[in-house]
Amino acid sequence: SAMEMWADNTTRPQLSAVARDTGFPLAIAAVMHGRGEIPGTGVQSPEEVVPPDPFFRELKKRGFTFKRWSVKP
């Protein structure tokens, strides 16, 4: 399956959608890493180490929208 995510701009705090799309996921992952919720060491792809359910829950709390669909090979 595939997933698309997007955010709208906000007025309080005043942030563009691009700022939110760029900064929020990274900040969430950094907090998760600091709490020890992301296993492993060294450079790894996010798909391999970031637990998806808690990560997406945090994004939803911040007003992100998701769309999931199936992709046929």
Side-chain angles (χ1 to χ4, degrees):
S1 73
M3 182 178 281
E4 181 179 1
M5 173 191 82
W6 67 93
D8 294 322
N9 67 308
T10 58
T11 56
R12 292 188 185 193
Q14 188 172 357
L15 294 169
S16 70
V18 172
R20 290 170 43 85
D21 282 345
T22 303
F24 281 37
L26 179 59
I28 291 167
V31 169
M32 291 175 73
H33 185 269
R35 291 180 182 156
E37 297 171 13
I38 296 177
T41 59
V43 177
Q44 300 180 49
S45 68
E47 296 84 0
E48 294 175 4
V49 295
V50 176
D53 290 335
F55 180 74
F56 289 122
R57 268 195 305 273
E58 291 299 319
L59 287 169
K60 286 179 184 178
K61 286 181 190 177
R62 290 159 178 82
F64 282 73
T65 304
F66 301 91
K67 179 181 178 183
R68 182 182 296 220
W69 62 92
S70 296
V71 177
K72 295 180 181 179

